[in-house]
DNA sequence: AGCACGCCGACT
DNA sequence: GTCGGCGTGCTC
């Protein structure tokens, strides 16, 4: 292995690190620095993972492998990504079986990558041709491209391509813009040029080569045609290089010279002769230079702060819990503690004080929350305490804001970061504490590659950095509680609410009985309807939960019974009211949508019937029943606009809304003191799914939403409508008895061998036909079984059609691996994949899956 | 992710 | 016959 090589993570789903040589005049970069590297004919940014890696991937310029290439440039002198974060990302890649570059990309702020792009300019010939038309241009795309180009000006290819996509009646399918441009270039109709794109968001040093006085003198002699002893020893390359260099005595970037046939190597030789100097020059602004931007705090959050702050005396339970955590924090070492505290037991206050303890010890804290937009209160409580020593990281920020926050953290200007999942990679140094609030929340799991779980990465990060982890929840995940029970995590319990407020009393309504008496179209039971009326009369607030969006969930023809299904996915379309054009039927997976037909598309009968109800229907129903009530709805449809959820929650907090209807969003950790009634329209929505976590999710959702009631001075009630009043997850959620639920559920998981008792891996193969998907899956599974039987320590289940057999036009087949050793399963997957590298594109592997679709 | 190579359908 | 559609493979 030659020295002066680096292994680099590039932002593509490539399963390995790539090795590049660092040419002589370029200084060796440090791990975590960004480098510009050639990759498949273009230049891309990568992050240095390792310097002089001992074990290079099997590419040593051998006959089979690809030759190692030189990197083009080093963009950072210091690590752009701190080594702790680079290593953490590499661990994520290894654990979750994704490309190292994909994991690194998850840890980077927006705009950190530079990439080569292209720009196009129309020639005069092209302008003439644009009028006549282009021969052989059947699709019309070439002429469209020509006509879309402004004469005499360079246009970015990306912009040209997106204009083509929108144009004449074409469905928005992929436009091979570069191929088109290249084809036009061959005919001399346009010019195409490569440019580096990506905003200059980071400092960048580049090497600049300039001739010395001796060099200029030498070039003068050369140009004069004479020869002397010194010049005699200059090779032709060095001579021509010298002539290029003297054109600009002030110096030229090494990378630019490479384009003029002056290699870094030649420059190094000239430098050795004292004819050229090589220096570093900062060309872009320094990200570590001070550049502070005020943190934006949302309006609703400010309103919430005013309420959140005054409750300052801790209960005895809170005090005891804080004491224990403080003792742990003082040890400055890795530990994980689960804080199981009932809803309203004041966990936020404990987090806040613990963070202060950690800060006083000179260490920093990271607070992870499921979705900041839905819990602005927590962020603003921290803001009130830590002021501008706090940074916020979440997807609702614009790229610029996010980048700025990231740089503040990177420059050690903050002590506390509050953020969502991806903030687990926040570049904090001296990390002493990670808090994972509502650790059971499913939004910690990223549902695309890298499919990591924020909580689990947090635990790994803390382990590597010697920090304390606090996992908090009223309804811990089975995983975490299991870890606490088996002694891997500490466990602290808060059984009482602050100010000894009682938990809401819960009542079940058996909807079978209601249907029997009042017919199956009933939505609100008599009990729930009258309870809502009472609260409205008393000017109290009501929260209604239905974990299903839309107006109605099924449309079918009463004559031929044909349902209205999505043409791309194996689901029925959901009807939505919204939209100027009336009702539309939409697919919640691929977003396909049509105007709701009045007649059956199959038999033309005018009897289209809608059934199954969602939040929109509840909203309408409640409004119809209580015309004076101010009803609003919070679900993904109303919350899509930036700041909309916070605004809506703010209005609810201020009492401008009396009934709030919503999906699981309304169940998240909000604190609305005036809510005295929580209604669950149907507790059964999640129960029917073929998913071993169905009971756990139902229990969590019900317990959480019931926990929104009675948080103020008035006690709260909850009414849960269900078809299965005997189901244990519903029964135990009513009693809010987590421990009993855990015992029952863990017995089930043990019996069935499901997580957390074993590790689980889900694989989904997608293909253009079901047969093709099965073909690939069968072969892959066969290889896995071979390895399983030779002592892999796991079992393989499947393949079988995935619950969503068709998704976005793709046919899907899935399989599972179950086993004690994740390493064993992952090794087997890696090996099976190495045999069939092309399968990787069609195969998604989910380690520790939360949802199986 | 791009981009190149390679194999089948509708046009000069 | 060719152009160009996109399936399959590779990137140090």
């Amino acid at each position: 292995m030659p020295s002066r090589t680096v292994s680099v993570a590039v932002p593509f789903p490539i399963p390995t690190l790539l090795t590049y040589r660092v040419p002589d005049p370029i200084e060796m970069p440090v791990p975590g620095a960004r480098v510009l590297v050639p990759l498949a004919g273009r230049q891309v940014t990568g992050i240095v993972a390792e310097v002089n890696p001992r074990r290079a991937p099997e590419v040593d310029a051998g006959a089979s492998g690809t030759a190692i290439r030189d990197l083009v440039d080093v963009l950072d002198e210091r690590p752009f990504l701190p080594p702790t974060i680079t290593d953490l990302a590499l661990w994520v890649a290894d654990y979750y079986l994704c490309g190292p570059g994909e994991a690194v990309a998850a840890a980077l702020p927006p705009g950190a990558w530079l990439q080569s792009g292209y720009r196009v300019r129309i020639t005069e010939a092209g302008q003439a041709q644009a009028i006549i038309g282009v021969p052989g241009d059947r699709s019309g795309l070439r002429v469209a491209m020509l006509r879309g180009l402004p004469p005499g000006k360079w246009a970015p290819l990306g912009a040209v391509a997106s204009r083509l996509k929108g144009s004449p009646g074409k469905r928005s399918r992929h436009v091979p813009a570069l191929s088109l441009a290249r084809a036009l270039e061959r005919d001399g109709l346009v010019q195409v040029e490569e440019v580096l794109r990506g905003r200059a968001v980071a400092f960048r040093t580049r090497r600049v080569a300039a001739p010395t006085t001796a060099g200029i003198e030498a070039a003068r002699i050369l140009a004069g045609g004479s020869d002397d002893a010194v010049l005699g020893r200059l090779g032709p390359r060095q001579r021509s290089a010298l002539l290029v260099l003297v054109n600009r005595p002030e110096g030229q970037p090494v990378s630019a010279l490479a384009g003029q046939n002056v290699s870094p190597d030649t420059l190094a030789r000239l430098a050795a002769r004292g004819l050229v100097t090589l220096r570093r020059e900062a060309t872009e602004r320094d990200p570590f230079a001070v550049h502070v931007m005020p943190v934006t705090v949302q309006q609703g959050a400010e309103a919430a702060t005013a309420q959140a702050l005054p409750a300052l005396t801790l209960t005895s339970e809170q005090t005891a819990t804080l004491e224990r955590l403080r003792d742990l924090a003082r040890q400055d070492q890795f530990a994980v503690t689960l804080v199981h505290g009932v809803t309203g037991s004041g966990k936020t206050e404990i987090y806040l004080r613990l963070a202060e303890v950690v800060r006083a010890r000179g260490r920093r804290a990271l607070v992870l929350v499921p979705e900041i937009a839905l819990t602005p209160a927590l962020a603003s409580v921290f803001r009130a305490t830590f002021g501008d020593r706090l940074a916020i990281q979440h997807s609702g920020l614009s790229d610029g804001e996010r980048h700025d926050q990231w740089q503040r953290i990177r420059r050690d200007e903050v002590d506390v970061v509050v953020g969502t999942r991806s903030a687990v990679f926040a570049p904090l140094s001296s990390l002493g504490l990670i808090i994972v609030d509502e650790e059971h929340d499913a939004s910690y799991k990223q549902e695309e590659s890298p499919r990591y779980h924020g909580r689990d990465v947090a635990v790994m990060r803390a382990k590597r950095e010697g920090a304390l982890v606090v996992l908090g929840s009223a309804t811990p995940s089975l995983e975490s509680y299991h870890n606490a029970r088996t002694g891997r995590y500490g466990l602290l319990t808060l059984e009482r609410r602050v100010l000894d407020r009682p938990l809401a009393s819960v009542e079940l309504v058996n909807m079978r009985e209601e249907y029997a008496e009042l017919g199956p179209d009933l939505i609100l039971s008599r009990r729930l309807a009258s309870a809502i009326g009472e609260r409205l009369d008393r000017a109290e607030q009501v929260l209604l939960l239905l974990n299903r969006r839309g107006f109605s969930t099924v449309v079918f023809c009463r004559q031929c019974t044909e349902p209205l299904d999505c043409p791309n996915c194996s689901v029925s379309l959901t009807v939505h009211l919204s939209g100027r054009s009336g009702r539309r039927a939409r697919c919640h997976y691929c977003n396909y949508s049509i105007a709701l037909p009045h007649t059956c598309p199959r038999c033309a009968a005018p009897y289209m019937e809608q059934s199954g109800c969602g939040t929109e229907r509840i909203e309408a129903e409640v409004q119809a029943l209580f015309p004076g009530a101010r009803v609003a709805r919070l679900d993904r449809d109303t919350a899509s606009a930036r700041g909309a959820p916070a605004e809506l929650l703010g209005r609810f907090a201020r009492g401008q809304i009396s009934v709030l209807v919503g999906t699981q969003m309304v169940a998240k950790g909000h604190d609305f003191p005036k809510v005295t009634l929580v209604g669950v329209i149907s507790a059964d929505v999640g129960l029917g799914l073929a998913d071993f976590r169905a009971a756990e999710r139902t229990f969590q959702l019900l317990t959480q939403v019931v926990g929104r009631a009675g948080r103020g001075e008035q006690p709260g009630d909850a009414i849960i409508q269900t078809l299965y009043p005997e189901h244990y997850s519903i029964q135990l959620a009513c009693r809010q008895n987590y421990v009993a639920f855990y015992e029952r559920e863990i017995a089930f998981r043990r019996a069935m061998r499901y997580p957390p008792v074993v590790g689980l891996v889900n694989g989904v193969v997608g293909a253009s036909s079901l047969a093709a998907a099965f073909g690939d899956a069968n072969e892959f599974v066969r290889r896995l079984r071979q390895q399983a039987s030779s002592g892999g320590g796991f079992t393989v289940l499947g393949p079988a059609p995935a619950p969503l057999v068709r998704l976005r036009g793709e046919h899907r087949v899935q399989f599972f691996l179950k086993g004690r050793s994740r390493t064993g399963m992952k090794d087997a997957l890696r090996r099976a994949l190495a045999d069939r590298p092309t399968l990787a594109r069609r195969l998604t592997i989910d380690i520790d899956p939360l949802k199986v679709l």
Side-chain angles (χ1 to χ4, degrees):
Chain A
M1 185 78 247
S3 59
R4 294 191 63 83
T5 59
V6 284
S7 58
V8 176
V10 291
F12 304 110
I14 295 173
T16 59
L17 295 167
L18 303 180
T19 309
Y20 290 89
R21 186 178 292 106
V22 184
D24 248 340
I26 299 184
E27 274 173 50
M28 287 296 285
V30 293
R34 292 170 309 159
V35 287
L36 205 55
V37 296
L39 178 73
R42 68 217 140 108
Q43 293 184 357
V44 301
T45 314
I47 295 281
V48 174
E50 219 184 328
V51 172
N52 289 324
R54 269 182 292 111
R55 215 174 49 81
E58 54 287 354
V59 286
D60 267 326
S64 60
T66 322
I68 297 179
R69 302 174 70 184
D70 285 357
L71 58 76
V72 177
D73 208 349
V74 174
L75 302 182
D76 308 297
E77 284 182 313
R78 286 192 276 166
F80 183 81
L81 212 51
T84 48
I85 306 300
T86 313
D87 291 348
L88 185 67
L90 295 175
W91 174 83
V92 164
D94 181 67
Y95 185 90
Y96 291 101
L97 229 55
C98 70
E102 293 174 274
V104 166
L108 285 171
W113 302 117
L114 296 167
Q115 243 199 70
S116 54
Y118 300 88
R119 53 182 199 168
V120 207
R121 184 169 65 176
I122 190 164
T123 61
E124 279 175 23
Q127 288 173 48
Q129 200 72 253
I131 304 162
I132 318 164
V134 182
D137 179 29
R138 271 175 288 111
S139 56
L141 283 170
R142 291 202 216 172
V143 86
M145 179 176 271
L146 280 183
R147 288 182 183 155
L149 289 170
K153 275 193 258 174
W154 287 104
L157 186 62
V160 176
S162 53
R163 249 177 287 146
L164 278 181
K165 235 175 263 185
S167 70
K170 290 271 178 313
R171 277 166 291 139
S172 73
R173 65 171 218 280
H174 174 73
V175 176
L178 186 57
S179 314
L180 285 171
R182 284 267 151 84
L184 291 170
E185 188 185 30
R186 279 195 292 274
D187 297 342
L189 305 179
V190 300
Q191 289 169 278
V192 181
E193 202 176 84
E194 191 171 350
V195 283
L196 271 189
R197 98 179 113 79
R199 276 164 312 135
V201 288
F203 82 48
R204 172 178 174 181
T205 64
R206 57 181 183 183
R207 275 131 313 282
V208 173
T212 59
T213 343
I216 294 171
E217 180 61 18
R220 213 178 47 78
I221 298 168
L222 256 179
S226 66
D227 220 12
D228 75 13
V230 181
L231 291 175
R233 275 182 284 134
L234 281 181
R237 290 187 185 201
Q238 294 182 49
R239 286 169 189 243
S240 68
L242 211 49
L243 290 175
V244 171
L245 281 162
V246 288
N247 291 336
R248 294 228 213 126
E250 74 282 0
Q252 302 176 58
V254 170
S255 52
L257 286 165
Q260 302 171 53
N261 288 324
V262 178
S263 72
D265 217 59
T266 311
L267 290 171
R269 279 178 231 268
L270 287 170
R273 289 171 191 273
L275 301 177
V276 164
T277 56
L278 288 165
R279 64 173 191 272
R280 280 176 173 275
E281 200 171 79
T283 59
E284 287 159 17
R285 75 170 193 276
D286 186 344
F288 304 104
V290 181
H291 178 238
V292 184
M293 195 175 166
V295 181
T296 46
V297 175
Q298 313 225 340
Q299 258 195 322
E302 295 283 33
T305 316
Q307 300 169 338
L309 281 181
L312 286 182
T313 4
L314 297 189
T315 65
S316 57
E317 269 187 344
Q318 280 177 308
T319 310
T321 303
L322 183 61
E323 276 308 315
R324 297 282 302 279
L325 293 172
R326 192 178 284 161
D327 290 346
L328 282 167
R330 284 189 183 127
Q331 305 197 354
D332 291 330
Q333 63 184 33
F334 171 63
V336 186
T337 296
L338 173 63
V339 175
H340 173 214
V342 297
T343 53
S345 57
K347 294 186 284 290
T348 305
E349 195 58 36
I350 296 174
Y351 301 155
L352 186 68
R353 298 195 183 204
L354 190 60
E356 285 185 290
V357 169
V358 167
R359 173 165 73 162
R361 299 186 63 75
R363 302 187 76 183
R364 299 195 165 86
L366 177 57
V367 182
L368 299 183
V369 294
E371 279 160 90
I372 288 185
L374 294 174
T375 49
L378 190 136
S380 53
V381 165
F382 273 82
R383 174 133 185 94
T385 301
F386 292 100
D388 60 10
R389 298 297 293 179
L390 174 84
I392 292 180
Q393 290 263 296
H394 64 96
S395 56
L397 299 180
S398 72
D399 278 4
E401 285 170 313
R402 215 151 18 126
H403 166 257
D404 250 59
Q405 298 283 319
W406 194 89
Q407 295 294 1
R408 285 178 62 225
I409 301 167
R410 182 72 183 91
R411 289 191 301 261
D412 288 343
E413 288 172 10
V414 303
D415 297 316
V416 179
V417 174
V418 175
T420 46
R421 181 177 64 223
S422 64
V424 74
F425 298 109
L428 279 169
S429 59
S430 313
L431 186 65
L433 171 68
I434 307 182
I435 290 164
V436 185
D437 188 29
E438 309 291 356
E439 65 84 28
H440 65 278
D441 198 288
S443 62
Y444 282 119
K445 182 78 198 279
Q446 178 147 305
E447 292 296 350
E448 61 212 45
S449 184
R451 303 177 151 260
Y452 68 95
H453 197 298
R455 173 197 63 215
D456 298 343
V457 177
V459 170
M460 181 46 69
R461 178 168 182 187
K463 189 171 178 181
R464 294 159 157 257
E465 298 185 44
L468 170 66
V469 182
V470 174
L471 307 178
S473 177
T475 53
S477 62
L478 246 68
E479 278 75 5
S480 294
Y481 206 78
H482 184 66
N483 280 331
R485 277 290 180 85
T486 53
R488 294 181 50 180
Y489 295 174
L491 177 62
L492 297 171
T493 307
L494 297 157
E495 286 172 349
R496 292 160 62 183
R497 285 188 155 181
V498 295
L499 302 173
D500 260 328
R501 280 174 183 146
L503 287 169
S505 65
V506 189
E507 196 181 316
L508 284 183
V509 175
N510 185 344
M511 289 306 277
R512 285 181 205 273
E513 291 168 9
E514 292 284 306
Y515 290 162
E517 283 183 54
L518 299 163
D521 294 332
L522 188 76
I523 292 173
L524 293 177
S525 62
R526 291 162 294 184
R527 184 69 195 89
L528 181 54
S530 74
I532 295 173
E534 284 165 30
R535 306 309 136 131
L536 292 176
D537 290 345
R538 296 208 296 260
E540 293 168 2
Q541 289 178 305
V542 179
L543 204 57
L544 295 179
L545 170 83
L546 177 61
N547 205 11
R548 206 156 47 191
R549 294 184 290 134
F551 185 78
S552 66
T553 48
V554 192
V555 187
F556 63 93
C557 170
R558 253 198 292 179
Q559 181 166 288
C560 73
T561 73
E562 176 86 346
L564 210 55
D565 286 334
C566 175
N568 311 314
C569 312
S570 40
V571 291
S572 59
L573 297 178
T574 301
V575 177
H576 286 261
L577 295 182
S578 45
R580 263 155 255 112
S581 44
R583 300 189 176 200
R584 292 192 74 81
R586 245 170 54 195
C587 172
H588 282 178
Y589 291 95
C590 74
N591 239 351
Y592 168 89
S593 109
I594 47 165
L596 186 65
H598 296 291
T599 54
C600 174
R602 192 169 82 169
C603 73
Y607 311 120
M608 296 305 283
E609 172 133 349
Q610 297 179 39
S611 75
C613 91
T615 43
E616 287 183 20
R617 186 122 149 206
I618 304 300
E619 184 188 16
E621 187 93 352
V622 171
Q623 192 67 78
L625 215 53
F626 306 100
R630 286 151 304 171
V631 185
R633 172 164 58 90
L634 177 64
D635 54 29
R636 198 135 45 95
D637 299 310
T638 64
S640 57
R642 258 241 257 174
E647 196 268 339
L648 202 59
L649 291 168
R651 279 200 289 147
F652 192 54
R654 290 190 297 274
Q656 293 162 356
I657 294 168
S658 43
V659 181
L660 184 63
V661 181
T663 53
Q664 37 86 26
M665 281 187 187
V666 302
K668 306 259 167 168
H670 315 292
D671 194 21
F672 302 119
K674 285 268 175 61
V675 171
T676 57
L677 175 67
V678 164
V680 178
I681 306 300
S682 168
D684 316 326
V685 171
L687 276 182
L689 298 175
D691 182 342
F692 72 90
R693 278 184 224 272
E696 181 181 3
R697 264 205 295 272
T698 300
F699 176 84
Q700 283 167 344
L701 181 60
L702 294 180
T703 308
Q704 290 287 346
V705 76
V706 164
R708 300 310 113 207
R711 295 171 77 99
E713 284 166 19
Q714 309 297 319
D717 295 306
I719 295 174
I720 298 178
Q721 304 187 150
T722 175
L723 293 171
Y724 312 103
E726 302 306 323
H727 193 284
Y728 66 99
S729 65
I730 293 173
Q731 281 286 327
L732 293 169
C734 275
R735 284 178 243 142
Q736 298 177 74
N737 189 341
Y738 175 81
V739 176
F741 174 78
Y742 170 80
E743 302 288 3
R744 171 100 196 224
E745 186 66 13
I746 198 78
F748 162 69
R749 306 279 175 99
R750 254 195 209 102
M752 302 300 291
R753 291 183 49 77
Y754 278 128
V757 181
V758 294
L760 188 71
V761 177
N762 176 229
V764 177
V765 178
S768 53
S769 76
L770 194 61
F774 260 112
D776 283 338
N778 275 322
E779 193 197 332
F780 196 71
V781 160
R782 208 189 58 236
R783 288 172 196 280
L784 289 171
R785 286 222 166 87
Q786 272 165 16
Q787 300 191 51
S789 60
S790 56
F794 61 91
T795 53
V796 188
L797 289 85
L804 266 170
V805 206
R806 261 162 54 70
L807 181 62
R808 292 184 203 96
E810 203 179 46
H811 296 258
R812 305 159 78 246
V813 161
Q814 69 169 354
F815 60 87
F816 288 94
L817 305 191
K818 266 187 194 176
R820 280 290 164 87
S821 152
R822 277 185 188 70
T823 329
M825 296 192 283
K826 279 187 315 195
D827 285 349
L829 284 164
R830 260 191 276 262
R831 253 173 271 150
L833 222 42
D835 287 352
R836 288 285 320 272
T838 47
L839 185 56
R841 248 242 270 272
R842 276 162 292 146
L843 176 66
T844 14
I845 291 174
D846 194 352
I847 312 281
D848 306 332
L850 269 197
K851 283 184 203 144
V852 179
L853 285 177

